[in-house]
Amino acid sequence: MPTLAVVGVQWGDEGKGKVTDYLAAQADFVVRYQGGANAGHTVVHRGQQFQLHLVPSGILYPGTICLIGNGVVIDPEQLIHELEDLEQRKIDTRSLFISDRAHVIMPYHKEQDRLEEERRGAGRIGTTGRGIGPCYADKVARYGIRMVDLLDRQSLETVLRRVLPFKNALLQSVFHHPGFDAEQLAEQYLRYGEQLRERIVDTVTLVNEAAENGKRVLFEGAQGTLLDIDFGTYPFVTSSSPTAGGVSTGTGLGPTRLQRVVGVSKAYATRVGEGPFPSEEKGTAAEQWLRERGHEYGTTTGRPRRCGWFDAVVARYAVRVNGVTGLAITKLDVLDGLEKVKVCVGYRYQGQVRRSFPTDLRLLAECEPVWQEFPGWEATRTATRYDELPSQAQQYLKAIAELAGAPVALVSVGNEREATIVVEPDLLF
Ligand code: GDP
Ligand code: IMO
Ligand code: MG
């Protein structure tokens, strides 16, 4: 099976980095297709921890080609730092390439992100402040700057002359911000272009040739389904398409060529930032258990993550919109030692139980979770095979697979590469 996508089926931070790193052992290419440095993917190998924001989680394998696709928004300064950091830690980054079509996050995007959040006040989204929303907005409004523009002075100056007057007018009149200087921006971003020149290529051709030649290509999603601009809890979402459909628009691989979709989910649930979270445990002992044992603090911003139980309504919805062919259930070990484990199996709304995920956030706010309880277990941490898992843990996995409507392909019981149990190898590479 040469093409496979790893997608988040919750609100991000499901463990996509860990799963991607594990599966990348078999991959020839690892490709990011959307999002930007709002992502924080953790990979732990041989006692070393890596926090990847823009670099695909295949970078630890020498010889694996890592691509940042056209659908990603790139902060070149952040990317250069990340690459320098990896090189300092003796990770070879020469096989990392960037799409010439990817859009560039400019300093005014980050300022706009911060100022808009401030202005939203109580209605804020709780963004990561990385300029993601404003950059995607400019892309769609046809005011964007692409990586290819950083390679040529005339192109960059022309596009800045067209775009900056609008940006500055907005910043000055709405936010009383002094605005940005075109010349200074051009110099700064041409320097980044020079530093990255060798890496900026036509990734659309690379991805398609790889697929045509039977290479194993792994697509690494950032964020998650409930943060998707179309399918998430709008407007409390990110500005891209983390769902499997994003693979096609974000890399140029035709949709019929994506063969497998692995949906990554924690064995419970978390969310960072504002917005609805029906199975949330707020201020309870369960929240404390999950946050402390799961180390649930944001990779990118350090914020404590909101915690709750596995939500089967969300899971079933996500399995559908992604066409998930197999689930990867992570952090099962975090539930070790609990007497009971809960799952949200439906939403009670005006006396009726709903099993579909609502669009209307006002309606969602009125939904009460319908719980099902499962007996807990002692330890999954040391299991290396499915049949070594406690029977209650197996029962729990079986139940969530049934509720979600997709088989479990892989289970993760620790943050290191080795703490991984393959359940259905045929659903992976
Ligand atoms: P991502 O954004 O989806 O890649 O997820 P993050 O890296 O932001 O958050 C997942 C966190 O859980 C990271 O700190 C991982 O090292 C850790 N992790 C991943 N899988 C497991 C697991 O099975 N058990 C435990 N205990 N930690 C895990
Ligand atoms: P990974 O790839 C969790 C959330 C933010 C905020 C909303 C919009 O590590 O799973 P943005 O900065 O994208 O405009 O913020 O999306 N968010 C994430 N939450 N994991 C992420 O990435 C996230 N990226 C964005 O907290 O609620
Ligand atoms: Mg993360």
Side-chain angles (χ1 to χ4, degrees), residues 47 178 261 368:
V261 180
E368 285 284 328

Side-chain angles (χ1 to χ4, degrees), residues 407-426:
V408 174
L410 179 153
V411 178
S412 172
V413 291
N415 59 7
E416 326 84 49
R417 199 182 278 173
E418 291 69 30
T420 311
I421 299 170
V422 171
V423 185
E424 293 276 2
D426 292 351

Side-chain angles (χ1 to χ4, degrees), residues 38 109 117 142 192 195 229 270 283 400:
N38 49 349
H109 291 133
E117 278 283 269
R142 295 161 291 189
Y192 296 145
Q195 281 173 273
I229 186 76
T270 63
I400 61 181

Side-chain angles (χ1 to χ4, degrees), residues 7 13 88 118 175 190 192 259 292 345 400:
V7 302
D13 301 328
Q88 260 177 17
E118 226 171 76
F175 298 109
L190 284 167
Y192 296 145
Q259 287 156 321
E292 296 315 317
V345 293
I400 61 181

Side-chain angles (χ1 to χ4, degrees), residues 301-355:
T301 57
R303 291 178 288 178
R305 295 178 183 145
R306 298 157 65 192
C307 298
W309 300 108
F310 184 86
D311 185 333
V313 179
V314 163
R316 189 178 20 242
Y317 171 62
V319 161
R320 273 194 172 155
V321 299
N322 289 290
V324 167
T325 49
L327 290 166
I329 304 296
T330 62
K331 304 190 92 162
L332 187 63
D333 55 299
V334 173
L335 305 180
D336 288 0
L338 280 169
E339 216 164 283
K340 280 186 202 138
V341 179
K342 288 188 356 179
V343 169
C344 170
V345 293
Y347 299 158
R348 185 167 286 110
Y349 177 70
Q350 296 184 344
Q352 304 269 350
V353 177
R354 288 181 65 111
R355 296 195 192 270

Side-chain angles (χ1 to χ4, degrees), residues 11-17 38-42 51-53 222-223 266 272 297-300 305:
W11 282 275
D13 301 328
E14 296 92 345
K16 299 175 295 293
N38 49 349
H41 294 185
T42 315
Q51 306 282 12
L52 302 166
H53 298 284
Q223 291 79 52
K266 281 175 185 160
V272 216
Y297 296 90
T299 311
T300 301
R305 295 178 183 145

